[in-house]
Amino acid sequence: MAQKSTHKFKAEISQLLDILVHSLYTNKEIFLRELVSNASDALEKYRFKASSADNGGDDLPAEIRISVDKDAGTLTVVDTGVGMTREEVMANIGTIAHSGTAELTRLAQEGKEPLDSLIGRFGVGFYSVYMVADEVSVTTRSMEQDAAPVRWTSDGRTDYKLQELDEDLPRGTRIEVKLKEDLKDQFTNVEHLKSVVTRHSNFVNFPIFVGDERVNTVPALWREPKFQITSEQYAEFYKFLSFDTEDPLETMHISVDAPVQFNALLFIPPKNTDFLTGMNRDNWGPDLYVRRVLIQRQNKELLPEYLSFVKGVVDVEDLPLNISRETLQDNIVMRKVSSTLTKQVLSHLEKLAKDNGDRYAEFWKEHGALFKAGYMDFIHKDRYAELVRFNSSASDDADSLSSLADYVSRVKEGQKEIYYAYGASREALSLSPHLEIFRRKGIEVLFLYEPIDEFAMDAIREFGEFKLVAAEHADPATLDEFETVEKKDDVEELSQDDASTLDKLLARIKEVLGDSVTEVKASKRLSDSPVCLSNPDGHVTSSMDKIMRAMSKDTSVPTKVLEVNPDHALVRNMIDIFKQDENDPFIEQAAQQLFESALLLEGYLTDPHALVGRIQSLLTQSSGWYVKSK
Ligand code: ADP
Ligand code: MG
């Protein structure tokens, strides 16, 4: 008899086990889905290895068998898959926690997402057996030649035992579950087990037997003719694949004969849970099959990353079965499949946008953030430009979406540009001094709330005849030619005399501010604000500038143009004061104050002390005058 050794579980696993063992979770039957899915994975691996090497070809049928012993209160799942060596057992179910284990534990404790879908998505399925088991033993023999069978046993608390066996066992794995007392009746009931298997494992690619009866019936749904498949079947398959509890938002069943032959069944999930939990950002991509044989789960060569919200299965005819995962990467067939699939997904989205705007909006709300990264896909630039959505000054609220085409349908006569501005929120943008002229002229501006939006705009550049222009880069003279819709409060024209004083005043302000600004000039774009900062010609937008500075860890304040609104009451007062005494200290104080307030608005003011001090002294003075005048 070989030695028996005892090993401690890794800490994360213990924690997870603790949650599972004590879970009051009602849908405990999903443990069977997980055991069957592992058995199916093991069979897929066996088939893959056997077809790519010469060591295949024994007579064991590839299948999964579930049996029960009512008296002993046990349930057993047997597969004829790859099996595991001693080292593999230790690595796979004991020592090494999956990367997501800690995250799963956190989410499970939060209790917002059903444990059911968490377990499936996080790849910790094996341990779910401890929701129903007092003890589990895994007896397994690897397909590797001369591999010795091993037995792993554990009550799922703190440690597990390992033992090499002298027996000569067939290839594969046998999992024996000693059921908890209160669950024995339920999970030794063959009829119940059959219904559990049909519910959760109907699409498994290998025959599943419960007792002597084969239970699952629908493998490879993607190879069936479309007209034979009901939407319920599609939804069922989606749930099987994604562990989602809801139906898919969209289903794409694709059959292509040229330039390469393949079938695909793709889905757009109703919610972007992977993205929201920040987890699984690396686990995306459809499962790749070659003529029904699973080659790789979540293959990333099949779709570009900006379509990573798409889940599903792709089954290619024209690839050799023994293709290695490494050579998939620069395989010409794969590239053709990928390019065809990408086009198909984009077409589907275009059609959806056209036929069902509400549903498209739902899609955008969930997956738009990911999709936007598609600005790097230059080949599909035009289609991308049709599919992106933004909020707009013309929308009723922050949730409404506008396409570039929508914008174009609303442009003013003679308008040749599409304008956009980046800001933290709709409120912030609605108050931005840079947009005052747009409000005055009633010209629409697309509102961008995420840094990536500006990259997208930069990449799109043109839409039909229209150039995409950042609002802060728009030429005020061009805008000024449009009719004014929102009148400024009636202001008197500056007299000849005042106009020349203004020039001197601006020069004086420049003198006060020195090198902190490149230029001080009269502004055309302002109506409500006394000043704003703008970029010297040919510069990137302020938000882009901020991103670039953040990346290069540059914390200095950029030098900009100070634009002054000659029609603002404060500026008019400054002109009067300046006329009386060019050296009045108020001019200097006001110049500093206006400049720093503008910096504050742009998010560049790092030290507010001087600004606050000045406000306080100005308030003290003005309140003094107020008291006196009473
Ligand atoms: P996942 O299936 O997502 O990898 P699990 O917790 O379900 O996570 O399983 C952990 C690992 O244990 C599997 O990746 C596999 O290597 C191994 N394993 C589990 N069940 C079997 C089995 N029946 N045959 C071979 N290996 C298995
Ligand atoms: Mg699993």
Side-chain angles (χ1 to χ4, degrees):
M1 193 76 202
Q3 263 195 350
K4 211 170 185 171
S5 53
T6 302
H7 307 259
K8 276 213 171 331
F9 283 119
K10 196 166 172 186
E12 287 108 287
I13 297 183
S14 287
Q15 219 182 357
L16 173 68
L17 282 166
D18 197 54
I19 290 183
L20 293 169
V21 169
H22 297 111
S23 89
L24 298 172
Y25 180 59
T26 46
N27 203 16
K28 295 188 172 186
E29 64 187 36
I30 59 126
F31 86 91
L32 192 58
R33 173 190 78 188
E34 295 302 325
L35 294 186
V36 167
S37 130
N38 286 347
S40 162
D41 285 350
L43 285 160
E44 299 272 19
K45 283 182 205 158
Y46 170 75
R47 190 155 68 170
F48 180 77
K49 286 192 174 170
S51 64
S52 57
D54 307 322
N55 61 351
D58 56 35
D59 308 330
L60 280 181
E63 60 185 26
I64 301 164
R65 288 190 175 268
I66 300 169
S67 57
V68 296
D69 181 335
K70 275 194 185 295
D71 299 332
T74 58
L75 175 150
T76 307
V77 181
V78 180
D79 68 67
T80 48
V82 272
M84 288 177 273
T85 62
R86 185 176 191 276
E87 287 66 39
E88 284 167 340
V89 172
M90 289 181 68
N92 297 340
I93 46 177
T95 325
I96 299 173
H98 293 255
S99 54
T101 309
E103 178 70 2
L104 170 96
T105 307
R106 192 181 64 74
L107 289 170
Q109 279 162 342
E110 260 178 31
K112 282 196 205 120
E113 268 196 88
L115 195 56
D116 178 340
S117 67
L118 284 177
I119 288 170
R121 281 199 293 123
F122 279 78
V124 289
F126 173 76
Y127 305 106
S128 68
V129 70
Y130 285 103
M131 293 194 296
V132 300
D134 276 336
E135 189 172 73
V136 178
S137 77
V138 179
T139 310
T140 180
R141 191 172 77 75
S142 163
M143 74 182 280
E144 274 171 35
Q145 239 157 26
D146 306 323
V150 274
R151 177 168 297 151
W152 176 103
T153 41
S154 174
D155 60 5
R157 281 165 215 276
T158 49
D159 51 29
Y160 62 89
K161 295 191 169 49
L162 262 189
Q163 180 180 19
E164 274 186 21
L165 306 174
D166 295 331
E167 302 156 55
D168 183 25
L169 292 179
R171 174 194 79 233
T173 302
R174 172 193 175 86
I175 297 181
E176 193 174 306
V177 181
K178 191 164 185 326
L179 293 160
K180 288 185 184 178
E181 194 55 45
D182 55 328
L183 297 168
K184 273 181 185 165
D185 284 346
Q186 193 183 351
F187 291 114
T188 55
N189 177 336
V190 169
E191 287 314 308
H192 178 63
L193 293 177
K194 280 183 198 163
S195 77
V196 173
V197 170
T198 355
R199 194 153 46 242
H200 299 294
S201 310
N202 213 10
F203 296 96
V204 165
N205 250 326
F206 302 91
I208 305 171
F209 294 87
V210 177
D212 291 327
E213 193 185 327
R214 171 156 184 192
V215 183
N216 61 327
T217 49
V218 226
L221 189 69
W222 58 90
R223 296 173 74 108
E224 306 285 316
K226 281 178 222 181
F227 65 89
Q228 284 183 7
I229 308 173
T230 62
S231 55
E232 286 76 26
Q233 275 178 305
Y234 280 134
E236 202 192 326
F237 182 71
Y238 165 72
K239 291 176 187 166
F240 165 77
L241 193 85
S242 64
F243 306 105
D244 203 340
T245 46
E246 288 176 55
D247 287 358
L249 185 71
E250 287 296 308
T251 301
M252 296 166 260
H253 192 169
I254 299 164
S255 264
V256 174
D257 286 325
V260 277
Q261 203 186 343
F262 68 90
N263 292 288
L265 188 45
L266 303 179
F267 301 96
I268 300 179
K271 296 263 150 47
N272 196 343
T273 37
D274 297 349
F275 190 62
L276 289 180
T277 54
M279 137 85 203
N280 270 355
R281 276 320 300 134
D282 237 5
N283 303 340
W284 57 270
D287 296 343
L288 173 67
Y289 287 76
V290 170
R291 296 187 293 285
R292 280 175 195 264
V293 177
L294 179 70
I295 303 296
Q296 189 180 24
R297 283 208 196 284
Q298 300 189 314
N299 179 286
K300 295 189 181 48
E301 317 299 319
L302 288 167
L303 283 174
E305 188 165 357
Y306 72 99
L307 300 180
S308 60
F309 51 86
V310 173
K311 302 202 159 161
V313 168
V314 179
D315 192 346
V316 184
E317 294 296 312
D318 318 323
L319 279 174
L321 265 183
N322 61 0
I323 186 157
S324 82
R325 288 169 197 184
E326 293 70 46
T327 54
L328 280 174
Q329 289 185 6
D330 35 34
N331 181 287
I332 181 119
V333 174
M334 285 294 283
R335 245 180 288 150
K336 283 182 186 160
V337 174
S338 161
S339 121
T340 313
L341 272 184
T342 305
K343 287 193 176 66
Q344 295 260 2
V345 173
L346 293 177
S347 306
H348 188 92
L349 290 174
E350 281 159 9
K351 195 166 174 320
L352 182 66
K354 193 159 141 270
D355 298 348
N356 193 337
D358 290 347
R359 235 174 138 75
Y360 190 78
E362 257 177 76
F363 153 76
W364 191 259
K365 191 171 132 262
E366 290 300 323
H367 307 293
L370 269 178
F371 183 85
K372 279 191 265 187
Y375 70 84
M376 284 185 265
D377 184 355
F378 293 109
I379 303 176
H380 300 110
K381 190 174 147 206
D382 293 347
R383 308 181 73 171
Y384 173 82
E386 293 282 350
L387 287 167
V388 282
R389 296 290 181 271
F390 301 98
N391 192 223
S392 158
S393 63
S395 325
D396 297 332
D397 54 49
D399 291 329
S400 312
L401 295 173
S402 201
S403 67
L404 294 176
D406 293 337
Y407 182 110
V408 165
S409 72
R410 294 186 290 252
V411 293
K412 300 246 166 203
E413 206 182 312
Q415 187 181 337
K416 295 195 177 63
E417 295 172 322
I418 294 175
Y419 300 105
Y420 61 86
Y422 171 83
S425 66
R426 192 171 169 85
E427 290 69 36
L429 282 163
S430 304
L431 293 173
S432 161
H434 293 284
L435 300 188
E436 282 173 8
I437 189 165
F438 291 91
R439 289 195 284 277
R440 196 161 70 238
K441 298 290 178 178
I443 297 174
E444 180 173 354
V445 178
L446 294 174
F447 287 169
L448 319 186
Y449 304 129
E450 285 168 70
I452 191 173
D453 295 342
E454 251 189 316
F455 289 98
M457 291 302 197
D458 255 9
I460 299 172
R461 252 205 180 94
E462 278 166 16
F463 184 75
E465 325 250 275
F466 294 82
K467 275 181 74 173
L468 273 57
V469 177
E472 61 184 275
H473 287 168
D475 177 11
T478 312
L479 298 174
D480 214 27
E481 283 166 22
F482 292 96
E483 197 189 330
T484 300
V485 293
E486 191 182 285
K487 280 247 179 274
K488 292 195 215 181
D489 293 336
D490 273 336
V491 275
E492 272 176 53
E493 285 268 314
L494 275 183
S495 67
Q496 197 73 28
D497 187 27
D498 285 350
S500 66
T501 311
L502 175 67
D503 289 341
K504 284 188 228 148
L505 173 64
L506 295 180
R508 171 80 181 115
I509 297 177
K510 169 70 177 122
E511 200 179 286
V512 172
L513 299 178
D515 291 339
S516 337
V517 291
T518 54
E519 190 189 347
V520 177
K521 68 176 188 191
S523 179
K524 279 206 153 121
R525 71 177 99 214
L526 296 172
S527 34
D528 303 328
S529 309
V531 297
C532 76
L533 287 170
S534 66
N535 287 313
D537 283 345
H539 239 257
V540 295
T541 62
S542 347
S543 41
M544 201 71 106
D545 183 66
K546 268 183 215 149
I547 294 173
M548 281 156 34
R549 279 164 193 277
M551 287 194 303
S552 59
K553 302 211 163 58
D554 179 354
T555 51
S556 66
V557 176
T559 327
K560 301 197 173 215
V561 179
L562 184 73
E563 296 193 15
V564 177
N565 178 0
D567 296 337
H568 195 277
L570 171 56
V571 178
R572 291 288 167 100
N573 289 341
M574 286 172 79
I575 293 176
D576 288 342
I577 295 170
F578 190 78
K579 268 200 289 197
Q580 283 169 26
D581 175 3
E582 297 196 0
N583 292 317
D584 191 310
F586 179 77
I587 301 291
E588 186 176 332
Q589 237 181 351
Q592 296 280 12
Q593 188 66 25
L594 286 170
F595 173 61
E596 288 196 3
S597 318
L599 278 182
L600 182 65
L601 272 185
E602 299 276 325
Y604 286 118
L605 190 73
T606 40
D607 183 3
H609 285 95
L611 176 122
V612 171
R614 233 180 279 111
I615 293 181
Q616 283 163 356
S617 95
L618 287 170
L619 277 175
T620 311
Q621 273 180 31
S622 60
S623 59
W625 294 325
Y626 184 65
V627 171
K628 265 187 225 152
S629 72
K630 278 233 158 177

